Amino acid sequence: MNFKLKALVAGVALGFSMSGMAAEPIKIGVSGPFTGGSAPMGVSMRDGVKLAVNEINAAGGVLGRQIQLVERDDEAKNERGVQIAQELINKERVVATVGYINTGVALASQRFYQQAQIPVMNNVATGSVITQQFATQPTNFVFRNSASDAIQSQMIVDEAIGRRGFKKVAILADSTNYGQLGRADLEKALEKKGIKPVAVEKYNLQDVDMTSQLLKAKQAGAEAVLTYGIGPELAQIANGMEKLGWKVPMIGSWTLSMANFVDNAGKNGEGTRMPQTFIQDANTPKRKAFIDAYVKAYNPPGGRMPSAVSAAQGYDSIYLLAAAMKQANSTEGPKIVAALENLNTKVEGVVTTYDKPYSKTDHEAINFNNTVFGEVRGGRVIHAK
């Protein structure tokens, strides 16, 4: 091989290796419960995230690089979430993380991202305090694109007291951070209407008998039960009411749309209402394409997403992050945050089209305008009338 040919071959090889270096994937963490009672939310979220990443990668990726997901099951456990956060930051070197289903896991874990200056996009967890945890720091690395409990609790109370005219309501909330922070938000929203709940009852995850809590609510004359919990235990509340022969409306947080509430409550869940950012209804071309792609990719039983809200918000969270990285022309945390706080292009999601969803002082993408009421009818969640 002559000198010129050797030089050409060496140059081509170097070009390949340089392009290989330039094309190093962008690692994004996905943290949520993929097993246990919260799994319908975690798995749906993860699957929505994967759909968005596949679409973006097929269209050329971000900044000429492919997105690589690093998935971890936090089992809805705070201590596991903390371990995962440290692993994703220190070992996997993620540039951002999406996920968090459980408020307690988010509050325990996201401080490590804040310290490492890596953005976190909470795409399901709803505790009102989540985006405020580091709001006093010069840069807040925590964002959200799910409906906070401050929004949901007000909607629940407006529905129960304002629209339906109930004067006596009971609150049943689980003992987790999610349940108890949500219960506090509900009580604040009721207080603004001059209403004090006639019963406030707590239960634990995996409780299967809600008789004592429901009896107290019934004996106090509750006309409706307001809930903050997740699917399996919420179903026990609906079924417990049936056993007592006591039927009053259930109105609660968005988790009443989970498949493991709808299926386990069966006929006892009919008419239950909850705030939703997304309902599995192909009422726009974008939503139809998303629903069709999800059903084709994952083939959920009966064609119904286990948690449509989680899937949609998971999907949108990736598009929001991708838009910020493109605008910043960087995967550096502080630059991504600066871009998120001032997105100069609209991001078409399936929940909504995001038009400047964040600012320096407001890291909440969801508001009352893009949250609606859903209702359980015939084993599905439909738009409430």
Side-chain angles (χ1 to χ4, degrees):
M1 191 184 289
N2 65 34
F3 176 76
K4 280 186 179 176
L5 187 58
K6 280 183 182 174
L8 179 63
V9 171
V12 169
L14 179 64
F16 276 129
S17 68
M18 290 289 281
S19 68
M21 285 169 64
E24 184 183 338
I26 296 170
K27 284 188 173 184
I28 295 177
V30 187
S31 185
F34 307 140
T35 52
S38 293
M41 298 182 282
V43 170
S44 298
M45 176 274 291
R46 180 190 67 193
D47 290 347
V49 163
K50 285 160 74 172
L51 277 184
V53 167
N54 290 341
E55 290 173 7
I56 290 168
N57 284 344
V62 177
L63 306 178
R65 296 160 64 186
Q66 296 282 285
I67 296 174
Q68 178 185 333
L69 295 176
V70 186
E71 301 171 22
R72 293 289 183 273
D73 180 4
D74 65 30
E75 303 168 28
K77 294 176 181 171
N78 295 4
E79 62 278 12
R80 180 74 185 123
V82 166
Q83 289 171 347
I84 288 168
Q86 293 170 318
E87 181 187 342
L88 292 180
I89 292 163
N90 300 318
K91 184 182 172 195
E92 298 293 344
R93 306 285 182 190
V94 297
V95 304
T97 279
V98 299
Y100 291 130
I101 306 298
N102 307 87
T103 293
V105 180
L107 293 174
S109 309
Q110 61 190 16
R111 66 179 183 271
F112 297 99
Y113 292 100
Q114 178 71 22
Q115 289 161 6
Q117 299 196 321
I118 294 170
V120 178
M121 185 70 73
N122 280 273
N123 56 21
V124 180
T126 57
S128 298
V129 72
I130 281 174
T131 54
Q132 298 302 306
Q133 198 175 10
F134 308 107
T136 58
Q137 296 195 11
T139 303
N140 179 4
F141 287 82
V142 178
F143 293 80
R144 171 158 49 198
N145 69 306
S146 55
S148 79
D149 290 336
I151 289 173
Q152 292 188 69
S153 58
Q154 188 174 322
M155 287 181 69
I156 293 164
V157 168
D158 285 347
E159 170 74 10
I161 310 301
R163 206 181 77 80
R164 294 169 79 168
F166 299 130
K167 298 286 189 289
K168 293 182 174 182
V169 295
I171 299 174
L172 266 67
D174 73 31
S175 58
T176 67
N177 274 352
Y178 171 66
Q180 291 308 300
L181 288 168
R183 186 253 324 141
D185 282 335
L186 273 179
E187 289 189 275
K188 282 182 214 157
L190 285 167
E191 194 178 344
K192 286 180 188 168
K193 299 268 190 192
I195 301 280
K196 187 174 172 60
V198 294
V200 179
E201 294 297 316
K202 184 160 69 171
Y203 58 86
N204 296 317
L205 294 183
Q206 299 182 342
D207 278 1
V208 293
D209 185 0
M210 305 290 180
T211 305
S212 67
Q213 293 95 327
L214 288 168
L215 273 174
K216 286 175 188 171
K218 182 184 179 184
Q219 287 161 1
E223 301 165 302
V225 172
L226 312 185
T227 62
Y228 250 90
I230 61 169
E233 292 77 36
L234 295 171
Q236 297 295 349
I237 293 172
N239 295 337
M241 288 164 71
E242 168 74 8
K243 283 179 198 161
L244 290 176
W246 180 53
K247 183 61 178 169
V248 295
M250 269 178 82
I251 308 166
S253 62
W254 76 274
T255 45
L256 283 163
S257 65
M258 290 172 66
N260 58 10
F261 167 74
V262 176
D263 292 343
N264 293 339
K267 65 180 175 55
N268 300 329
E270 283 287 294
T272 298
R273 289 193 169 193
M274 74 302 285
Q276 299 281 273
T277 59
F278 180 84
I279 289 169
Q280 191 176 337
D281 178 8
N283 57 358
T284 70
K286 179 80 174 176
R287 287 173 181 163
K288 183 180 189 310
F290 167 69
I291 292 165
D292 290 349
Y294 187 102
V295 171
K296 183 180 177 185
Y298 307 115
N299 193 26
R304 186 192 60 187
M305 298 176 187
S307 175
V309 166
S310 304
Q313 290 167 179
Y315 179 89
D316 285 4
S317 69
I318 292 293
Y319 274 99
L320 286 164
L321 268 178
M325 287 188 279
K326 284 176 190 169
Q327 181 174 314
N329 196 30
S330 174
T331 57
E332 291 175 30
K335 290 180 180 175
I336 295 172
V337 167
L340 281 169
E341 290 176 342
N342 187 31
L343 280 174
N344 53 28
T345 55
K346 292 181 181 179
V347 177
E348 189 186 1
V350 289
V351 169
T352 189
T353 295
Y354 301 87
D355 186 4
K356 295 209 177 295
Y358 303 112
S359 69
K360 178 78 175 165
T361 56
D362 183 0
H363 283 195
E364 302 280 359
I366 300 299
N367 54 44
F368 290 105
N369 296 330
N370 38 40
T371 311
V372 298
F373 254 94
E375 181 175 310
V376 177
R377 284 288 165 209
R380 301 184 83 84
V381 175
I382 62 168
H383 286 273
K385 292 177 181 167

